[in-house]
Amino acid sequence: MAINTYSVNEANNVGLGQVGSAVLDDGESVASIGNKKVVAITMFEDCTFTTMTQSSADITGTGTSTHGNSLTSSDTIPQGVTIFGNWSAVTLATGLCICYLG
């Protein structure tokens, strides 16, 4: 995983959102920029997603997952929750969130 390539300072910067972010509203999307991925998503409102393209089946997203169930557009993630992972593309169906890049 790419996260193993970060120094301690770089890892702290990822955690503080200093690598970049994108605020998404109903129907908007973000895809990876270069080698960056979406590494965390904080919900400002209750959110549903049409796409969360995970980097592997070990990470929950809208594709096939080896750990538990995949997310569907009917799954609502409540306001105030932050989820962590590694997604190359995220499309928000409803709600308002911020996606952090890493």
Side-chain angles (χ1 to χ4, degrees):
M1 280 190 137
I3 195 132
N4 295 327
T5 63
Y6 291 126
S7 70
V8 172
N9 287 337
E10 290 169 332
N12 286 335
N13 288 341
V14 168
L16 295 172
Q18 294 181 8
V19 178
S21 62
V23 174
L24 304 182
D25 201 354
D26 298 338
E28 294 181 329
S29 63
V30 64
S32 61
I33 302 168
N35 63 350
K36 296 178 186 171
K37 306 286 186 206
V38 174
V39 295
I41 306 169
T42 298
M43 314 311 148
F44 294 143
E45 298 174 353
D46 290 355
C47 293
T48 61
F49 295 87
T50 53
T51 303
M52 294 176 77
T53 305
Q54 67 263 35
S55 61
S56 76
D58 291 335
I59 297 168
T60 299
T62 54
T64 302
S65 177
T66 56
H67 301 292
N69 298 318
S70 298
L71 291 174
T72 68
S73 59
S74 63
D75 293 324
T76 300
I77 301 174
Q79 176 182 359
V81 169
T82 299
I83 57 175
F84 299 90
N86 192 318
W87 303 280
S88 60
V90 172
T91 302
L92 183 67
T94 62
L96 179 68
C97 69
I98 186 168
C99 297
Y100 295 98
L101 304 177

XYZ file of all heavy atoms in Angstrom:
724
model
N 0.828 -1.182 0.000
C 0.000 0.000 0.000
C 0.874 1.249 0.000
O 1.912 1.279 0.618
C -0.883 0.050 1.236
C -2.102 -0.793 1.185
S -3.145 -0.371 2.582
C -4.669 -0.367 1.724
N 0.396 2.274 -0.628
C 1.143 3.527 -0.726
C 1.355 4.180 0.630
O 2.322 4.897 0.832
C 0.421 4.484 -1.666
N 0.480 3.935 1.588
C 0.612 4.594 2.885
C 1.919 4.208 3.572
O 2.451 4.967 4.361
C -0.606 4.310 3.784
C -0.616 5.279 4.956
C -0.615 2.907 4.297
C -1.894 5.945 5.211
N 2.458 3.043 3.257
C 3.716 2.614 3.855
C 4.906 3.418 3.343
O 5.983 3.336 3.898
C 3.951 1.126 3.588
C 2.920 0.271 4.273
O 2.438 0.607 5.343
N 2.564 -0.832 3.661
N 4.723 4.200 2.304
C 5.820 4.979 1.746
C 5.928 6.361 2.358
O 6.841 7.097 2.033
C 5.666 5.126 0.218
O 4.463 5.845 -0.067
C 5.604 3.760 -0.459
N 5.002 6.747 3.225
C 5.042 8.070 3.843
C 6.006 8.104 5.026
O 6.060 7.170 5.820
C 3.658 8.484 4.352
C 2.645 8.764 3.275
C 1.418 8.125 3.279
C 2.904 9.671 2.259
C 0.472 8.385 2.302
C 1.972 9.944 1.281
C 0.758 9.294 1.309
O -0.168 9.562 0.340
N 6.741 9.226 5.145
C 7.523 9.453 6.356
C 6.544 9.815 7.474
O 5.353 10.022 7.228
C 8.509 10.606 6.137
O 7.799 11.839 6.034
N 7.035 9.922 8.698
C 6.172 10.293 9.821
C 5.535 11.656 9.573
O 4.330 11.830 9.760
C 6.971 10.288 11.145
C 6.142 10.865 12.279
C 7.428 8.877 11.471
N 6.323 12.634 9.115
C 5.774 13.966 8.847
C 4.746 13.937 7.728
O 3.704 14.595 7.813
C 6.886 14.962 8.509
C 7.700 15.344 9.721
O 7.231 15.234 10.851
N 8.921 15.779 9.507
N 5.037 13.196 6.661
C 4.085 13.106 5.553
C 2.787 12.440 6.002
O 1.699 12.879 5.625
C 4.706 12.327 4.389
C 5.811 13.077 3.682
C 6.591 12.197 2.713
O 6.671 10.972 2.941
O 7.118 12.743 1.745
N 2.891 11.400 6.813
C 1.700 10.723 7.317
C 0.863 11.667 8.172
O -0.365 11.665 8.090
C 2.088 9.479 8.110
N 1.518 12.478 8.992
C 0.793 13.465 9.794
C 0.088 14.481 8.902
O -1.031 14.895 9.177
C 1.731 14.178 10.768
C 2.132 13.296 11.922
O 1.422 12.365 12.277
N 3.278 13.571 12.504
N 0.740 14.892 7.814
C 0.126 15.843 6.889
C -1.109 15.251 6.217
O -2.104 15.944 6.022
C 1.129 16.307 5.835
C 2.184 17.232 6.412
O 2.000 17.807 7.478
N 3.292 17.359 5.717
N -1.059 13.973 5.867
C -2.233 13.310 5.293
C -3.375 13.375 6.299
O -4.511 13.727 5.962
C -1.923 11.845 4.908
C -3.201 11.085 4.583
C -0.967 11.796 3.732
N -3.086 13.051 7.545
C -4.102 13.064 8.601
C -4.695 14.434 8.854
O -5.827 14.553 9.321
N -3.952 15.471 8.538
C -4.432 16.838 8.739
C -5.054 17.424 7.474
O -5.423 18.596 7.445
C -3.276 17.731 9.206
C -2.685 17.384 10.568
C -1.435 18.203 10.841
C -3.719 17.612 11.670
N -5.155 16.638 6.416
C -5.770 17.108 5.182
C -4.899 18.010 4.343
O -5.380 18.697 3.440
N -3.586 18.025 4.583
C -2.703 18.939 3.873
C -2.280 18.443 2.494
O -1.587 19.142 1.774
C -1.471 19.241 4.732
C -1.830 20.008 5.978
C -0.623 20.326 6.825
O 0.510 20.107 6.429
N -0.865 20.850 8.010
N -2.727 17.269 2.092
C -2.396 16.755 0.768
C -3.436 17.223 -0.251
O -3.183 17.276 -1.433
C -2.299 15.213 0.797
C -2.009 14.638 -0.571
C -1.210 14.791 1.781
N -4.611 17.604 0.224
C -5.677 18.099 -0.640
C -7.017 17.546 -0.217
O -7.107 16.565 0.520
N -8.067 18.210 -0.656
C -9.416 17.772 -0.328
C -10.383 18.291 -1.379
O -10.044 19.164 -2.171
C -9.820 18.276 1.060
O -9.823 19.692 1.069
N -11.585 17.747 -1.364
C -12.648 18.193 -2.261
C -13.970 18.085 -1.521
O -14.267 17.039 -0.923
C -12.686 17.334 -3.522
N -14.748 19.161 -1.534
C -16.083 19.146 -0.946
C -17.060 18.743 -2.042
O -17.060 19.320 -3.126
C -16.452 20.529 -0.359
C -17.891 20.535 0.124
C -15.510 20.889 0.773
N -17.869 17.721 -1.755
C -18.840 17.215 -2.724
C -20.257 17.459 -2.225
O -20.547 17.264 -1.050
C -18.654 15.717 -2.958
C -17.294 15.229 -3.415
C -17.329 13.719 -3.644
C -16.839 15.955 -4.664
N -21.118 17.899 -3.135
C -22.545 18.088 -2.887
C -23.290 17.109 -3.789
O -22.693 16.486 -4.670
C -22.914 19.537 -3.208
C -24.186 19.996 -2.530
O -24.860 19.163 -1.893
O -24.516 21.185 -2.633
N -24.582 16.988 -3.627
C -25.413 16.046 -4.390
C -24.933 15.830 -5.819
O -24.848 16.770 -6.606
C -26.856 16.539 -4.448
C -27.514 16.633 -3.083
O -27.046 15.962 -2.150
O -28.504 17.375 -2.958
N -24.577 14.590 -6.160
C -24.239 14.216 -7.524
C -22.829 14.538 -7.980
O -22.442 14.165 -9.083
N -22.033 15.207 -7.169
C -20.669 15.566 -7.584
C -19.718 14.405 -7.336
O -19.998 13.500 -6.558
C -20.196 16.820 -6.853
C -20.989 18.054 -7.242
C -20.516 19.313 -6.541
O -20.034 19.227 -5.397
O -20.631 20.382 -7.153
N -18.547 14.464 -8.000
C -17.587 13.376 -7.863
C -16.161 13.907 -7.851
O -15.897 15.034 -8.254
C -17.756 12.363 -9.005
O -17.478 12.976 -10.237
N -15.268 13.061 -7.375
C -13.832 13.331 -7.393
C -13.144 12.036 -7.787
O -13.557 10.943 -7.395
C -13.312 13.851 -6.031
C -13.472 12.824 -4.936
C -11.878 14.316 -6.129
N -12.118 12.167 -8.626
C -11.299 11.013 -9.003
C -9.868 11.319 -8.582
O -9.522 12.472 -8.318
C -11.388 10.752 -10.507
N -9.054 10.297 -8.513
C -7.681 10.497 -8.058
C -6.947 11.474 -8.964
O -7.218 11.574 -10.154
C -6.951 9.159 -8.002
O -6.895 8.578 -9.283
N -6.048 12.194 -8.377
C -5.229 13.164 -9.097
C -3.802 12.633 -9.059
O -3.178 12.596 -8.002
C -5.310 14.550 -8.438
C -6.764 15.010 -8.386
C -4.445 15.558 -9.156
C -6.996 16.213 -7.504
N -3.294 12.182 -10.206
C -1.966 11.568 -10.225
C -1.987 10.292 -9.408
O -2.843 9.443 -9.590
N -1.079 10.182 -8.450
C -1.027 8.979 -7.618
C -1.799 9.152 -6.312
O -1.762 8.296 -5.452
C 0.424 8.585 -7.322
C 1.164 9.643 -6.527
O 0.667 10.757 -6.348
N 2.350 9.312 -6.071
N -2.520 10.265 -6.149
C -3.305 10.488 -4.939
C -4.624 9.736 -5.020
O -5.165 9.513 -6.094
C -3.576 11.983 -4.751
C -2.329 12.794 -4.530
C -2.671 14.250 -4.401
C -1.407 15.086 -4.335
N -1.699 16.510 -4.415
N -5.129 9.363 -3.877
C -6.417 8.684 -3.748
C -7.217 9.390 -2.660
O -6.675 10.152 -1.861
C -6.226 7.219 -3.347
C -5.312 6.423 -4.241
C -5.947 6.084 -5.546
C -5.032 5.149 -6.334
N -5.231 5.242 -7.737
N -8.499 9.106 -2.590
C -9.322 9.567 -1.478
C -9.042 8.623 -0.313
O -9.219 7.412 -0.438
C -10.818 9.569 -1.851
C -11.668 9.908 -0.642
C -11.084 10.548 -2.988
N -8.570 9.168 0.812
C -8.183 8.326 1.949
C -9.119 8.460 3.144
O -9.059 7.653 4.058
C -6.725 8.605 2.383
C -5.757 8.213 1.278
C -6.537 10.051 2.791
N -9.974 9.482 3.129
C -10.949 9.661 4.207
C -12.090 10.529 3.691
O -11.888 11.375 2.821
C -10.312 10.308 5.427
N -13.284 10.280 4.227
C -14.456 11.066 3.860
C -15.206 11.401 5.141
O -15.543 10.506 5.924
C -15.392 10.287 2.911
C -14.632 9.786 1.677
C -16.582 11.158 2.505
C -15.412 8.796 0.827
N -15.458 12.699 5.361
C -16.241 13.158 6.503
C -17.596 13.648 5.995
O -17.655 14.454 5.062
C -15.521 14.282 7.264
O -14.281 13.773 7.773
C -16.359 14.796 8.433
N -18.659 13.170 6.634
C -20.014 13.524 6.223
C -20.469 14.787 6.959
O -20.518 14.803 8.183
C -21.006 12.393 6.535
C -20.579 10.999 6.150
S -19.948 10.775 4.499
C -18.783 9.463 4.798
N -20.807 15.831 6.196
C -21.386 17.050 6.774
C -22.898 16.922 6.900
O -23.532 17.617 7.684
C -21.059 18.274 5.923
C -19.598 18.626 5.892
C -19.031 19.107 4.735
C -18.784 18.487 7.004
C -17.690 19.455 4.692
C -17.443 18.821 6.973
C -16.897 19.313 5.808
N -23.492 16.065 6.066
C -24.911 15.711 6.106
C -24.985 14.194 5.936
O -23.983 13.570 5.580
C -25.684 16.370 4.948
C -25.688 17.880 4.956
C -26.353 18.472 3.717
O -26.709 17.721 2.775
O -26.515 19.710 3.691
N -26.152 13.591 6.173
C -26.321 12.175 5.849
C -26.008 11.995 4.370
O -26.459 12.783 3.535
C -27.751 11.727 6.132
C -28.076 11.677 7.620
O -27.169 11.901 8.443
O -29.242 11.423 7.951
N -25.220 10.973 4.025
C -24.748 10.798 2.642
C -25.027 9.399 2.111
O -24.967 8.421 2.852
C -23.241 11.039 2.565
S -22.732 12.729 2.894
N -25.298 9.345 0.797
C -25.317 8.095 0.052
C -24.379 8.257 -1.137
O -24.164 9.370 -1.615
C -26.732 7.725 -0.446
O -27.206 8.756 -1.320
C -27.696 7.540 0.710
N -23.803 7.162 -1.594
C -22.810 7.198 -2.669
C -23.229 6.275 -3.805
O -23.713 5.169 -3.564
C -21.436 6.765 -2.145
C -20.874 7.703 -1.121
C -21.179 7.556 0.220
C -20.055 8.745 -1.511
C -20.670 8.438 1.161
C -19.534 9.632 -0.575
C -19.856 9.477 0.766
N -23.005 6.722 -5.049
C -23.231 5.844 -6.195
C -21.954 5.112 -6.563
O -22.009 4.002 -7.079
C -23.750 6.628 -7.419
O -22.868 7.703 -7.686
C -25.135 7.164 -7.169
N -20.790 5.750 -6.303
C -19.512 5.120 -6.627
C -18.499 5.380 -5.518
O -18.338 6.515 -5.077
C -18.921 5.688 -7.938
O -19.863 5.519 -8.980
C -17.622 4.998 -8.304
N -17.856 4.324 -5.083
C -16.680 4.393 -4.216
C -15.754 3.295 -4.735
O -15.840 2.154 -4.301
C -17.030 4.185 -2.749
C -17.884 5.279 -2.151
S -18.361 4.917 -0.452
C -16.814 5.322 0.376
N -14.900 3.640 -5.695
C -14.039 2.655 -6.341
C -12.835 2.387 -5.446
O -11.927 3.203 -5.340
C -13.579 3.157 -7.720
O -14.728 3.493 -8.491
C -12.768 2.089 -8.441
N -12.826 1.242 -4.791
C -11.768 0.923 -3.838
C -10.521 0.403 -4.546
O -10.612 -0.145 -5.641
C -12.262 -0.065 -2.781
C -12.597 -1.445 -3.285
C -14.075 -1.661 -3.573
O -14.770 -0.770 -4.018
N -14.525 -2.880 -3.332
N -9.366 0.583 -3.891
C -8.095 0.159 -4.474
C -7.924 -1.362 -4.450
O -7.153 -1.908 -5.223
C -6.928 0.822 -3.750
O -6.935 0.446 -2.388
N -8.631 -2.031 -3.539
C -8.584 -3.494 -3.484
C -9.850 -3.991 -2.803
O -10.577 -3.216 -2.172
C -7.353 -3.983 -2.719
O -7.531 -3.810 -1.333
N -10.092 -5.285 -2.908
C -11.278 -5.877 -2.294
C -11.184 -5.901 -0.776
O -12.164 -6.193 -0.103
C -11.502 -7.283 -2.838
N -10.008 -5.563 -0.212
C -9.851 -5.486 1.242
C -10.508 -4.242 1.824
O -10.675 -4.137 3.033
C -8.369 -5.476 1.630
C -7.687 -6.805 1.354
O -8.387 -7.837 1.317
O -6.468 -6.811 1.183
N -10.844 -3.277 0.974
C -11.419 -2.004 1.415
C -12.880 -1.963 0.990
O -13.220 -2.302 -0.142
C -10.640 -0.828 0.799
C -9.202 -0.858 1.312
C -11.305 0.506 1.105
C -8.267 0.049 0.588
N -13.756 -1.546 1.884
C -15.175 -1.463 1.555
C -15.423 -0.330 0.579
O -14.906 0.768 0.728
C -16.014 -1.250 2.829
O -15.808 -2.369 3.680
C -17.478 -1.130 2.508
N -16.209 -0.612 -0.426
C -16.604 0.377 -1.424
C -17.811 -0.145 -2.159
O -18.548 -0.990 -1.641
N -18.035 0.331 -3.375
C -19.182 -0.131 -4.149
C -18.844 -1.338 -5.023
O -19.722 -1.898 -5.656
C -19.755 1.005 -5.023
O -18.710 1.560 -5.828
C -20.364 2.100 -4.154
N -17.586 -1.750 -5.062
C -17.190 -2.949 -5.783
C -17.243 -4.156 -4.870
O -17.733 -4.101 -3.749
N -16.703 -5.271 -5.326
C -16.676 -6.500 -4.543
C -15.747 -6.337 -3.350
O -14.645 -5.821 -3.468
C -16.199 -7.676 -5.418
O -17.082 -7.785 -6.531
C -16.185 -8.976 -4.639
N -16.188 -6.769 -2.191
C -15.395 -6.666 -0.972
C -15.182 -8.051 -0.379
O -16.106 -8.862 -0.352
C -16.099 -5.771 0.048
O -15.369 -5.724 1.254
N -13.955 -8.323 0.074
C -13.678 -9.605 0.727
C -13.961 -9.553 2.224
O -13.934 -10.565 2.889
C -12.209 -10.019 0.513
O -11.358 -8.973 0.998
C -11.925 -10.284 -0.952
N -14.213 -8.351 2.742
C -14.475 -8.180 4.178
C -15.852 -7.541 4.342
O -16.010 -6.339 4.228
C -13.422 -7.291 4.836
C -12.033 -7.824 4.694
N -11.617 -8.970 5.324
C -10.980 -7.394 3.986
C -10.355 -9.205 5.018
N -9.941 -8.266 4.202
N -16.860 -8.329 4.592
C -18.204 -7.796 4.779
C -18.882 -7.488 3.452
O -18.525 -8.019 2.405
N -19.859 -6.599 3.513
C -20.669 -6.275 2.345
C -20.127 -5.051 1.623
O -19.454 -4.215 2.204
C -22.111 -5.993 2.776
C -22.752 -7.203 3.413
O -22.587 -8.312 2.931
N -23.458 -6.994 4.501
N -20.482 -4.925 0.352
C -20.184 -3.729 -0.418
C -21.245 -2.682 -0.119
O -22.363 -3.010 0.278
C -20.194 -4.040 -1.918
O -19.195 -4.992 -2.223
N -20.907 -1.412 -0.318
C -21.877 -0.340 -0.135
C -22.787 -0.262 -1.350
O -22.360 -0.518 -2.476
C -21.161 1.001 0.043
C -20.380 1.178 1.333
C -19.608 2.483 1.310
C -21.304 1.145 2.535
N -24.031 0.095 -1.123
C -24.973 0.324 -2.212
C -25.516 1.740 -2.092
O -25.336 2.403 -1.070
C -26.151 -0.675 -2.171
O -26.944 -0.394 -1.014
C -25.663 -2.117 -2.129
N -26.201 2.197 -3.128
C -26.739 3.559 -3.116
C -27.846 3.731 -2.085
O -28.235 4.857 -1.782
C -27.250 3.942 -4.507
O -28.248 3.039 -4.918
N -28.339 2.648 -1.508
C -29.364 2.762 -0.459
C -28.761 2.794 0.948
O -29.481 3.010 1.923
C -30.382 1.626 -0.577
O -29.753 0.385 -0.366
N -27.443 2.600 1.077
C -26.768 2.677 2.374
C -26.502 4.139 2.711
O -25.863 4.851 1.934
C -25.442 1.913 2.358
C -25.637 0.419 2.216
O -26.614 -0.100 2.773
O -24.802 -0.217 1.547
N -26.988 4.592 3.876
C -26.793 5.969 4.309
C -25.723 6.022 5.387
O -25.801 5.298 6.378
C -28.110 6.561 4.857
O -29.096 6.516 3.818
C -27.927 7.992 5.312
N -24.729 6.884 5.187
C -23.694 7.105 6.199
C -24.071 8.406 6.901
O -24.205 9.452 6.265
C -22.298 7.171 5.571
C -22.014 5.855 4.821
C -21.244 7.428 6.659
C -20.728 5.838 4.039
N -24.262 8.381 8.223
C -24.804 9.531 8.928
C -23.847 10.725 9.040
O -22.626 10.564 9.001
C -25.136 9.002 10.322
C -24.687 7.598 10.380
C -24.083 7.225 9.082
N -24.436 11.880 9.184
C -23.707 13.130 9.402
C -22.756 12.972 10.584
O -23.081 12.344 11.589
C -24.707 14.238 9.696
C -24.098 15.574 10.045
C -25.168 16.610 10.376
O -26.346 16.334 10.329
N -24.732 17.790 10.708
N -21.546 13.518 10.447
C -20.570 13.500 11.523
C -19.614 12.308 11.496
O -18.625 12.308 12.213
N -19.906 11.326 10.685
C -19.061 10.127 10.604
C -17.928 10.370 9.610
O -18.123 10.967 8.557
C -19.896 8.898 10.176
C -19.017 7.712 9.835
C -20.890 8.540 11.254
N -16.734 9.900 9.949
C -15.601 9.890 9.018
C -15.252 8.443 8.737
O -15.120 7.632 9.654
C -14.372 10.605 9.605
O -14.713 11.973 9.863
C -13.182 10.555 8.663
N -15.124 8.114 7.448
C -14.700 6.773 7.065
C -13.325 6.874 6.415
O -12.992 7.885 5.801
C -15.716 6.073 6.132
C -15.964 6.896 4.862
C -17.026 5.814 6.862
C -16.852 6.201 3.847
N -12.533 5.836 6.591
C -11.172 5.801 6.064
C -11.039 4.644 5.096
O -11.650 3.605 5.269
C -10.163 5.641 7.213
C -10.205 6.770 8.193
C -11.048 6.721 9.301
C -9.427 7.892 8.007
C -11.102 7.764 10.204
C -9.475 8.945 8.906
C -10.315 8.880 10.007
N -10.230 4.826 4.053
C -10.028 3.780 3.070
C -9.038 4.229 2.020
O -8.140 5.033 2.293
N -9.218 3.741 0.809
C -8.341 4.086 -0.309
C -9.154 3.910 -1.581
O -9.269 2.806 -2.096
C -7.111 3.173 -0.296
C -6.039 3.649 -1.241
O -6.315 4.055 -2.351
N -4.799 3.573 -0.792
N -9.740 5.007 -2.064
C -10.629 4.978 -3.220
C -10.056 5.823 -4.343
O -9.592 6.934 -4.128
C -12.015 5.507 -2.853
C -12.653 4.763 -1.719
C -13.301 3.562 -1.783
C -12.717 5.160 -0.341
N -13.760 3.192 -0.534
C -13.412 4.166 0.373
C -12.251 6.269 0.368
C -13.666 4.238 1.737
C -12.487 6.352 1.728
C -13.183 5.331 2.395
N -10.125 5.327 -5.571
C -9.631 6.088 -6.722
C -10.702 6.996 -7.296
O -10.387 7.930 -8.035
C -9.121 5.142 -7.813
O -10.154 4.287 -8.256
N -11.961 6.752 -6.975
C -13.052 7.615 -7.436
C -14.204 7.529 -6.439
O -14.489 6.451 -5.905
C -13.529 7.192 -8.815
N -14.834 8.684 -6.190
C -15.977 8.756 -5.293
C -17.032 9.634 -5.959
O -16.725 10.740 -6.403
C -15.582 9.363 -3.924
C -16.808 9.606 -3.061
C -14.589 8.469 -3.203
N -18.265 9.130 -6.047
C -19.390 9.925 -6.536
C -20.462 9.930 -5.464
O -20.950 8.875 -5.051
C -19.974 9.360 -7.845
O -18.941 9.308 -8.824
C -21.110 10.237 -8.360
N -20.808 11.126 -5.010
C -21.819 11.303 -3.979
C -23.193 11.336 -4.631
O -23.411 12.076 -5.585
C -21.546 12.620 -3.241
C -22.447 12.954 -2.074
C -22.214 11.971 -0.930
C -22.188 14.374 -1.602
N -24.139 10.544 -4.129
C -25.510 10.578 -4.645
C -26.277 11.707 -3.966
O -26.821 12.583 -4.625
C -26.199 9.236 -4.431
N -26.311 11.677 -2.636
C -27.011 12.711 -1.877
C -26.191 13.093 -0.658
O -25.448 12.289 -0.114
C -28.392 12.223 -1.396
O -28.209 11.102 -0.520
C -29.293 11.832 -2.557
N -26.347 14.338 -0.223
C -25.681 14.801 0.982
C -24.589 15.802 0.697
O -24.512 16.387 -0.390
N -23.712 15.992 1.676
C -22.588 16.918 1.601
C -21.439 16.310 2.401
O -21.622 15.899 3.551
C -22.983 18.285 2.182
C -21.925 19.385 2.215
C -21.575 19.832 0.795
C -22.423 20.575 3.029
N -20.256 16.223 1.779
C -19.110 15.618 2.453
C -17.832 16.282 1.982
O -17.824 17.033 1.004
C -19.054 14.121 2.190
S -18.663 13.669 0.484
N -16.750 15.993 2.689
C -15.413 16.405 2.253
C -14.570 15.149 2.102
O -14.565 14.285 2.978
C -14.770 17.430 3.212
C -13.446 17.935 2.647
C -14.630 16.872 4.613
C -12.885 19.147 3.362
N -13.900 15.043 0.952
C -13.008 13.924 0.661
C -11.572 14.389 0.824
O -11.185 15.397 0.224
C -13.215 13.437 -0.766
S -14.856 12.796 -1.105
N -10.799 13.676 1.614
C -9.388 14.001 1.829
C -8.512 13.128 0.945
O -8.715 11.915 0.867
C -9.011 13.799 3.297
C -9.735 14.739 4.221
C -10.870 14.326 4.906
C -9.307 16.056 4.372
C -11.555 15.187 5.751
C -9.983 16.925 5.207
C -11.099 16.484 5.886
O -11.788 17.352 6.707
N -7.546 13.733 0.296
C -6.636 13.011 -0.591
C -5.368 12.621 0.142
O -4.949 13.288 1.081
C -6.285 13.879 -1.808
C -7.454 14.391 -2.628
C -6.972 15.280 -3.752
C -8.314 13.250 -3.142
N -4.749 11.556 -0.288
C -3.507 11.114 0.308
C -2.675 10.350 -0.675
O -3.053 10.118 -1.792
